[in-house]
Amino acid sequence: MSVGEAFLKIDGVCKAFGGVQALYEVSFSVAPRHIHALIGPNGAGKTTLFNIISGAFTPDRGSVFLDGVAIHGRPMHELVRRGIGRTFQNVELFSTMTVLENVLVGFHSRTRCGLLDAMVRWPWVGREERWARQRAMELLDMVGLANAAQRMAVDLPFGWQRLVEIARALASGPKLLLLDEPAAGLNAVETERLSQLVQKIRSLGVTVLLVEHDMNLTMDICDRIVVLDRGRKLAEGTPREIQASEAVMEAYLGKKR
Ligand SMILES: Nc1ncnc2c1ncn2[C@@H]1O[C@H](COP(=O)(O)OP(=O)(O)OP(=O)(O)O)[C@@H](O)[C@H]1O
């Protein structure tokens, strides 16, 4: 892939926490509308890299480019506006809100309405609200949870909560969606549904970068895979290339297949 084709470019990123070098000189690119996975053993640095891309952490060295623009070190809210959406390893929904309200929160970066506007209730506030509710219901329909819209989010089975989180991330209109272990805790049927959902999201023009331990899912749906090991990039390639890599088998899959 030439640099011109990269939608997300990670360039020489380093990050240390005290004496722990969580990431060292990590570089790779993600092409637009690709599904790209980041895999590696526990502590490899995957979540740290997600946190850098989404603006939670600043790299010690190196750069992150989104569509050619340097975004490292920018605040999270700006990165959401620039088109980065994410979900978390431990699902982070608002416990006192319904499913629909949780998704509506995701529209905040796209609507004009501030606290004062909401109190005054200009006519356009109502229009924005109606638009956001309609879009939120469409997103819930897309993830298969339209019927659960009025339920409290915390009352849903864990697998469904993950889908709500994806719907909320989509509400911000991302161009790049970061999914942190989306299949964790899902049963086989839910994982199959997730697989179809991620491919549908890509078909809508969204680039997807996911951290995932479920190798079947990763090998099935990803165009390319980057393998991290102890903070360094160990390998990169197509699922077939990664499966055939001796280095990956040794470091990550324990030589057995
Ligand atoms: N906020 C932090 N403070 C101190 N050390 C951290 C912090 N975040 C991550 N680390 C350390 O950095 C290294 C990489 O952690 P990270 O969570 O990025 O790995 P990971 O590949 O996501 O692991 P897992 O698969 O277990 O989630 C680990 O040694 C971890 O203990």
Side-chain angles (χ1 to χ4, degrees), residues 45 49 57 75 115 147 237 252:
L49 188 55
F57 294 160
L115 181 62
N147 289 338
Y252 186 59

Side-chain angles (χ1 to χ4, degrees), residues 60-203:
D60 300 335
R61 281 212 321 271
S63 311
V64 179
F65 298 93
L66 183 73
D67 213 4
V69 177
I71 56 159
H72 50 278
R74 304 278 180 91
M76 279 170 108
H77 63 86
E78 182 188 328
L79 296 185
V80 172
R81 275 205 307 273
R82 282 183 179 273
I84 297 182
R86 79 168 286 182
T87 65
F88 296 85
Q89 201 169 329
N90 304 311
V91 176
E92 294 186 12
L93 296 176
F94 295 102
S95 57
T96 56
M97 292 184 181
T98 65
V99 167
L100 177 63
E101 286 163 348
N102 265 282
V103 178
L104 283 170
V105 170
F107 284 94
H108 181 69
S109 64
R110 296 170 75 179
T111 51
R112 286 183 294 165
C113 183
L115 181 62
L116 182 65
D117 301 318
M119 286 164 71
V120 176
R121 292 202 65 81
W122 309 105
W124 58 263
V125 172
R127 278 198 299 277
E128 260 192 357
E129 260 177 29
R130 281 193 296 280
W131 172 83
R133 289 179 89 82
Q134 190 184 333
R135 279 292 293 139
M137 284 307 298
E138 285 166 13
L139 289 173
L140 283 173
D141 191 40
M142 183 170 137
V143 302
L145 289 179
N147 289 338
Q150 299 308 332
R151 289 177 63 182
M152 296 306 288
V154 285
D155 292 341
L156 297 189
F158 183 72
W160 293 19
Q161 292 188 29
R162 281 207 176 279
L163 295 172
V164 176
E165 212 190 17
I166 293 174
R168 185 177 63 187
L170 290 172
S172 65
K175 294 183 231 158
L176 171 69
L177 181 63
L178 307 173
L179 300 174
D180 200 346
E181 296 194 28
L186 302 194
N187 62 33
V189 174
E190 290 168 340
T191 302
E192 175 52 32
R193 197 157 143 201
L194 173 74
S195 155
Q196 288 167 10
L197 177 61
V198 173
Q199 293 176 83
K200 162 97 180 162
I201 290 168
R202 180 253 293 275
S203 75

Side-chain angles (χ1 to χ4, degrees), residues 17 20 22 40-48 57 89 181 213:
F17 298 102
V20 179
N42 291 337
K46 306 177 298 290
T47 300
T48 301
F57 294 160
Q89 201 169 329
E181 296 194 28
H213 286 294

